Amino acid sequence: MAYTVPKLEDYSAAALDKAVEELKAALYQEADAVSNENKWKEFRDRWMARKNGILTQINDLWLKAAPGSAKREVGARVNQLKTGVASIVEAKHALALNAPVTFTSQGIEIPRAKDWESFRKLATDPVLDITLPGIRRPLGAEHPVIKTMNEIVSVFRAMGYSVADGPEIETDYYNFESLNFPPNHPARDTQDTIFISGQEKKQQRDRLLLRTHTSPVQIHTMEKHPPPIRVVVPGKVHRADTADATHSPIFHQVEGLAVDTNITFCDLKGTLDHAMKALFGSSVKTRFYPSFFPFTEPSADVQITCFKCGGKGCRLCKMSGWIELLGCGMVDPNVFNFVESNGYDAEKVSGFAFGMGVERITMLKYGIDDIQLFYQGDVRFLEQFA
Ligand code: DAH
């Protein structure tokens, strides 16, 4: 006699379990009898058709009819049966097509079954109940550093900048020489890094190293594209720094470069002032403080008014009211000389460049006091940014 969905009179847990067991027994029995595609379609429709399929019937006869006090218990079972029936129907089909089936039950991944008999044996094993929901895999989220990096990039994209990237393994030429750090110049000491070994036979300019900043991509970009250019470069960089609360041997930067005719320091100020307001809020003010970088002249450090205390002085800004955020300056004519043949005549074009540390900005934005937290992969830390 074909199974029919009974009306329920008794809503006790024991009676519900019994009704569920009977339904499952019928499900497996009917699945056993499915031997070809047409029968499978009948089987699927009998159990899953929206209109009067068995799942629809249990929804009406069991769940909708249940008194308020029993809805929770009945609902949980009905939901489990929905998943269970769907996976049996699906497995029966896949196995008929010779596609091995893997499924989870009670959080256990069941090995691939090759045929319906072995699938059925696994699925009806009393310790494995495939009608129970599997484990919910938590959704990942953007890492806070990547999130900030994307925010910075989108501020500049909105101003018409393109995005470029470059290699993390660089030559001495791109990382230092073409950026106006001559061999043995003391400015190189502030950016010590790992050199690939066994390169003594190569000329110094060809020796490979892990890039210490994203600035080499300025040169790569100018070699590929004649002026005018406006580009931002997000990326990973390396330094021979010992890890502590504010240093990490690997971190991230966003570089920027704009070159055209008649670019002035005013353009640099206006651009970065706008970017800082977009990132930290429209009430921050910027200040440009004289500094030094070999590849810019003049060079400046950009500081913003402390967004925490508004400039009055607090722990975050070390009582100064100002927070230092990035380096920038007007592209040094010596840098253009390295790409002169690509259309960069230092007499005709001018430009500005800037570079910022993404971890530092992220730490300031979210009040994080230890850079190492970014790299430990502790979900309790990371999920706060989801
Ligand atoms: N490359 C510099 C660093 O890592 C940051 C920087 C400063 C980049 C000034 C620039 C710039 O483009 O103009 O310390």
Side-chain angles (χ1 to χ4, degrees), residues 6 8-23 62 70 73-74 77:
L8 298 179
E9 321 260 282
D10 179 356
Y11 289 94
S12 68
L16 292 175
D17 286 342
K18 185 160 167 274
V20 168
E21 283 316 310
E22 283 168 9
L23 183 144
W62 294 5
E73 285 282 307
V74 178
R77 286 171 174 78

Side-chain angles (χ1 to χ4, degrees), residues 181 191 212-215 218 237 239 251 253-256 293 295-296 299-301 326-330 352-356:
F181 291 78
Q191 301 199 6
T212 59
H213 50 180
T214 42
S215 305
Q218 290 189 25
V237 302
R239 302 256 172 117
F251 61 102
Q253 292 186 330
V254 175
E255 185 83 15
F293 300 100
F295 41 92
T296 45
S299 303
D301 284 330
L326 68 139
C328 66
M330 300 307 291
F352 62 77
F354 55 87
M356 53 191 110

Side-chain angles (χ1 to χ4, degrees), residues 89-147:
V89 169
E90 205 182 300
K92 189 75 205 184
H93 195 234
L95 290 165
L97 297 173
N98 276 333
V101 173
T102 312
F103 63 99
T104 49
S105 170
Q106 299 177 21
I108 301 166
E109 184 132 308
I110 296 184
R112 289 165 159 244
K114 286 182 298 311
D115 51 44
W116 169 248
E117 281 66 40
S118 47
F119 178 90
R120 190 190 202 293
K121 224 167 130 210
L122 289 165
T124 52
D125 186 313
V127 299
L128 297 170
D129 181 351
I130 72 149
T131 62
L132 287 177
I135 334 177
R136 178 176 291 228
R137 306 256 170 229
L139 260 190
E142 232 173 10
H143 189 281
V145 168
I146 302 299
K147 186 170 161 154

